[in-house]
Amino acid sequence: MRRLIVRLAPTYAQKLTLLAAVPLVLAVAAIAIVVALQAKALADREINTLENQLIAAKKVELRNYVTQARNGFYFVYGSASPQDDDAKGQVAQILSAMIYGEEGQFFVYDFDGNALVSPRQTDRINQNFSGETDSAGTPVVDELIRIARAGGGYHTYLWPKPSTGTEAQMITYVTSFPSWRWAVGTGVYIDDILSSVASARADVLARVQKTFLYIGAITLAALLLVFGTGMLVNLRERRLADAKLKKLTQRVFDAQEEERGRVARELHDGISQILVGVRYALENARRRLDRGDRRAADPLGKGIDSLGQAISEVRRISRDLRPGVLDDLGLGPALKTLVEEFSGRTGITCSFNTVVFRNRLDNDAKIALYRIAQEALTNIERHAVASEVIVDLRGHRQGATLVITDNGRGILNDAQSAGGLGLRNMQERMDQLGGSLSLETSSTSGTRVKASVPLTHLLPPEPNPNAPARNS
């Protein structure tokens, strides 16, 4: 189970991919929401405008109906007295005949709430409907009478259709015949308008949902593309990293084998031969002692001298592997010793310049610069054919810099022909420290190696115990 959890855990590259995908998802989601809300708001405004325009057109139509009807019998109403029942009957008869469409009719209520004209609902005639409300509790007859007495206007309520008996929303325009105390009007059902508006709203909602689906599909495709690209990049980088790791591992093995070979050669060519000479001297001294020869001390002296040389050689190899002066006294004295031994061994004139570091470089920087100096001097000894070498070590505001200059014939081509392992090792040491390495070489002016470590590898100065204390 633990192995499965480790396998399911995202890698660093996958985390970067997820981190890059999250803002994309959030941005697309925000865009989708804003687009959908804006589209819905715009559609709602357009639908509301359409609804208002259709209702306004219905209202104008109703008012025209009432006006035309009033103009049709005004010659009767205008000359009749309030008590002229014949005139009232004639007008009521005219209004009863004015039906239109499947549902349209004119109605008349007196101001007391009695129904006088209702051609499509004749059962309401001569009945009082004062206080009547629709199924939603909206006053109907009383409100119509109030609007008529106020000079006329519109009223909206639920009313059963004469053709089906089902309730639907109706808009009514009503006016008054004040001398007869009549409220006269007509209405039209607007359920067709409401159904059209509802259909339009449903269509808008469906389009918004489709927009969400389209944006979601595009987002999914984008995410798949991002993840696919990320996985391809991850696989490619992993392959490159594996290849680099293999090369680095091989270089490490090569460096180890080269160092082991160098130590083996020095042991075989130096210490081994010296020890063979010591053994020969001791055996010669023993034979002379067995014969009672007084000259036995001569080979013993030679053997002692040879042992001294072997001890010196062992110390030199030990210093090459890990100089103790580097840990004890710091980089400056270690480099000075290295340069002096190099000059004494090769006969090349060497000078060493440095600023007092007071051992302020950290351990990684000291080792890296010391190994770079070792590798540079080894290259000079093998390839440069130089007569003078200058080694300069100093600190500055950006860190510390080691410069090694010779007047030989250059080492770059020879080093590359040999594999360039030493130069790569120097470069990798600087890369690990975040520093820089530059190499300038010429067949006429020699070679200049410059290695710089950043300020982060300089330790803060130690406080001086003899310094006077400051008053805080």
Side-chain angles (χ1 to χ4, degrees):
M1 179 61 70
R2 182 174 297 177
R3 292 181 179 178
L4 179 60
I5 293 175
V6 171
R7 289 180 181 178
L8 293 178
T11 62
Y12 181 73
Q14 292 172 344
K15 290 179 181 179
L16 289 179
T17 304
L18 289 175
L19 186 61
V22 167
L24 174 63
V25 173
L26 294 179
V28 172
I31 292 173
I33 293 173
V34 171
V35 169
L37 292 178
Q38 291 292 333
K40 188 175 183 302
L42 179 60
D44 286 341
R45 287 196 298 270
E46 292 179 352
I47 292 173
N48 290 333
T49 301
L50 176 63
E51 181 180 8
N52 294 332
Q53 290 175 350
L54 293 176
I55 292 176
K58 291 289 186 181
K59 289 181 177 181
V60 172
E61 183 181 358
L62 289 175
R63 187 166 185 171
N64 291 336
Y65 284 165
V66 174
T67 301
Q68 290 176 2
R70 183 170 182 171
N71 292 336
F73 54 77
Y74 190 77
F75 68 95
V76 179
Y77 170 74
S79 60
S81 65
Q83 291 79 26
D84 190 346
D85 292 336
D86 292 337
K88 291 180 180 180
Q90 186 179 358
V91 171
Q93 187 177 3
I94 294 173
L95 289 174
S96 296
M98 297 179 69
I99 58 177
Y100 53 91
E102 294 182 357
E103 314 290 348
Q105 65 173 349
F106 282 85
F107 60 85
V108 177
Y109 293 97
D110 62 18
F111 286 177
D112 294 327
N114 296 310
L116 302 179
V117 175
S118 181
R120 292 189 184 275
Q121 295 172 318
T122 56
D123 56 326
R124 293 177 61 87
I125 299 175
N126 296 325
Q127 294 188 30
N128 186 279
F129 293 97
S130 179
E132 185 182 27
T133 60
D134 64 5
S135 60
T138 303
V140 179
V141 176
D142 293 344
E143 184 65 17
L144 291 173
I145 294 172
R146 185 193 66 78
I147 294 172
R149 298 182 70 171
Y154 301 95
H155 184 39
T156 304
Y157 52 91
L158 296 174
W159 196 254
K161 288 185 174 182
S163 59
T164 60
T166 58
E167 277 192 342
Q169 196 166 14
M170 172 184 277
I171 296 178
T172 299
Y173 181 78
V174 63
T175 187
S176 66
F177 291 180
S179 61
W180 289 0
R181 292 173 56 82
W182 279 12
V184 180
T186 185
V188 63
Y189 292 96
I190 60 172
D191 54 337
D192 57 340
I193 297 177
L194 297 179
S195 62
S196 298
V197 171
S199 176
R201 292 186 187 277
D203 184 60
V204 169
L205 182 60
R207 291 184 180 181
V208 170
Q209 291 177 350
K210 285 184 178 179
T211 301
F212 265 113
L213 291 177
Y214 291 153
I215 295 177
I218 294 173
T219 304
L220 180 60
L223 288 177
L224 291 177
L225 181 62
V226 170
F227 277 110
T229 305
M231 292 302 295
L232 291 177
V233 172
N234 185 21
L235 291 175
R236 180 176 177 276
E237 292 297 329
R238 180 171 294 181
R239 289 175 181 174
L240 292 176
D242 291 341
K244 291 180 179 179
L245 182 60
K246 289 180 180 179
K247 290 182 180 179
L248 179 62
T249 303
Q250 187 61 42
R251 287 204 300 269
V252 171
F253 289 155
D254 293 342
Q256 290 178 348
E257 292 300 325
E258 182 180 357
E259 186 67 18
R260 289 171 181 173
R262 183 184 66 81
V263 174
R265 286 193 301 271
E266 290 183 351
L267 291 176
H268 179 270
D269 297 340
I271 299 177
S272 178
Q273 293 181 4
I274 294 174
L275 292 179
V276 169
V278 171
R279 179 181 178 182
Y280 177 79
L282 292 177
E283 289 178 351
N284 189 13
R286 185 182 62 180
R287 287 195 297 269
R288 290 186 179 186
L289 288 174
D290 291 341
R291 293 195 305 265
D293 191 346
R294 295 180 180 180
R295 294 177 299 171
D298 295 337
L300 285 177
K302 293 181 179 179
I304 293 173
D305 293 338
S306 298
L307 283 177
Q309 294 178 6
I311 293 173
S312 300
E313 190 68 15
V314 169
R315 288 177 177 175
R316 184 187 65 81
I317 296 174
S318 175
R319 283 196 303 271
D320 290 340
L321 295 176
R322 178 70 179 188
V325 68
L326 183 63
D327 298 323
D328 298 336
L329 301 179
L331 181 61
L335 288 179
K336 184 179 180 181
T337 303
L338 178 66
V339 170
E340 290 176 350
E341 291 180 353
F342 173 80
S343 179
R345 183 177 68 254
T346 61
I348 298 175
T349 302
C350 298
S351 63
F352 175 71
N353 304 313
T354 184
V355 178
V356 179
F357 263 90
R358 299 186 184 275
N359 209 16
R360 287 183 55 196
L361 279 173
D362 62 14
N363 192 51
D364 294 337
K366 288 191 297 185
I367 294 175
L369 292 178
Y370 185 83
R371 294 305 181 190
I372 288 174
Q374 269 188 320
E375 190 67 39
L377 293 177
T378 300
N379 287 334
I380 292 172
E381 182 178 359
R382 293 178 180 177
H383 309 289
V385 192
S387 60
E388 183 180 0
V389 175
I390 301 174
V391 179
D392 184 87
L393 175 67
R394 62 186 61 250
H396 44 78
R397 293 182 178 180
Q398 288 76 33
T401 300
L402 172 66
V403 179
I404 302 173
T405 307
D406 67 76
N407 62 349
R409 61 183 179 90
I411 64 171
L412 185 57
N413 294 330
D414 291 336
Q416 286 181 341
S417 64
L421 184 60
L423 297 179
R424 286 200 298 270
N425 289 338
M426 288 192 286
Q427 183 64 57
E428 288 174 359
R429 288 183 185 276
M430 287 295 99
D431 290 342
Q432 290 177 355
L433 297 178
S436 62
L437 178 74
S438 63
L439 180 65
E440 300 174 3
T441 184
S442 171
S443 59
T444 57
S445 60
T447 303
R448 181 175 183 267
V449 178
K450 180 180 178 181
S452 298
V453 295
L455 189 62
T456 54
H457 291 279
L458 281 178
L459 302 176
E462 298 180 358
N464 188 358
N466 298 324
R470 295 183 179 179
N471 296 327
S472 57

